[in-house]
Amino acid sequence: MNRQAQSAVLFLLGASLLHAGSTDLYLRYVKQGLRPLVLAAGAVLIAAAVATVWYERKRARRQDPDSARDHVHPEPRVSWLLILPLLALILVAPPALGSYSATRTGTALQEPLAYPRLPSADPLPLSVVDYAGRAVYDHGRTLQGRRVQLTGFLALDRDGTPYLVRMALNCCAADAQPVKVALTGQVPPVLQPDTWLRITGTYTPRRTKDPVNGGPIPFVEVTRAEPVAEPTDPYDESWNG
């Protein structure tokens, strides 16, 4: 692949990053706080592509035409396959990790450093990660007598146990891991994996062990469940502080 073609690939990659960073597409790949870096990387790649084209044109004007022809080497056509991932990035938005990954990966629940005071809202909106951490490591002390509201996608264990799941990440989708809350009570009779639900319920001390890694999975007593649209940011970043 000659320098002109390399410049084209750099430009397309930079444009793809700018497109992803200027829309919500980047949330499929990295956490929300990395948006400025995605945009900066796209701008740098486009600048590098423009600089390469300028340099090559300047060098071509200084070079002897006969000498230039002597040094031309045909590039392997297979190198143009590098453009395919770029086209996929531009044309196809990858789905967020869902139930397939969640049921094959053990819960990544971590003990919180602190338990901030909860507001007096009723029902109390909590992230799946926050509820699970309080239910397991604080033994539900801050959840007693409260109606909570959780949002996540459905996953079914091998024995049919329904989980409400949120994939938590540190940096990007490649390191995303599931945090699971098992459902009991008034669970919908028909459950479709990857359906997003907003459930209202109450704390219960019941727990189970994740069949993948033996990690603790708390239950929530469901009193109401309703389907909702997938959120703009499907990943949970709350354990990043």
Side-chain angles (χ1 to χ4, degrees), residues 35 52 88 112 144 157 179 212 221 236:
R35 185 176 203 166
T52 300
Q144 294 283 358
D157 197 3
V179 173
V212 179
E221 186 81 21
D236 191 308

Side-chain angles (χ1 to χ4, degrees), residues 28 94-98 194 196 230 234-235:
R28 301 291 184 174
L97 296 176
D194 293 312
W196 281 81
E230 179 179 327
Y235 296 109

Side-chain angles (χ1 to χ4, degrees), residues 87-152:
L87 295 177
L89 178 62
I90 297 172
L91 301 176
V92 181
L97 296 176
S99 62
Y100 181 87
S101 298
T103 55
R104 288 161 177 78
T105 307
T107 182
L109 183 62
Q110 302 173 1
E111 184 172 3
L113 297 177
Y115 303 97
R117 186 172 180 176
L118 296 174
S120 57
D122 182 37
L124 172 66
L126 287 177
S127 70
V128 170
V129 173
D130 194 9
Y131 175 86
R134 291 172 184 269
V136 171
Y137 297 108
D138 194 42
H139 306 287
R141 280 189 284 263
T142 56
L143 303 173
Q144 294 283 358
R146 303 293 303 272
R147 287 199 311 156
V148 297
Q149 195 171 73
L150 313 177
T151 301

Side-chain angles (χ1 to χ4, degrees), residues 6 9-10 17 40 50 55 78 91 99 122 136 173 181 191 194 202 211 217 239:
Q6 292 172 3
V9 173
L10 278 178
L17 290 176
V50 172
Y55 173 78
V78 70
L91 301 176
S99 62
D122 182 37
V136 171
V181 172
L191 299 174
D194 293 312
T202 56
I217 298 178
W239 66 7

Side-chain angles (χ1 to χ4, degrees), residues 60-79:
R61 285 196 297 266
R62 294 197 308 261
Q63 196 173 27
D64 179 69
D66 295 331
S67 175
R69 282 194 295 269
D70 293 339
H71 289 83
V72 171
H73 300 285
E75 66 274 3
R77 294 182 179 179
V78 70
S79 59

Side-chain angles (χ1 to χ4, degrees), residues 27-41:
L27 294 172
R28 301 291 184 174
Y29 302 97
V30 298
K31 66 181 182 180
Q32 193 169 22
L34 294 180
R35 185 176 203 166
L37 294 180
V38 173
L39 293 172

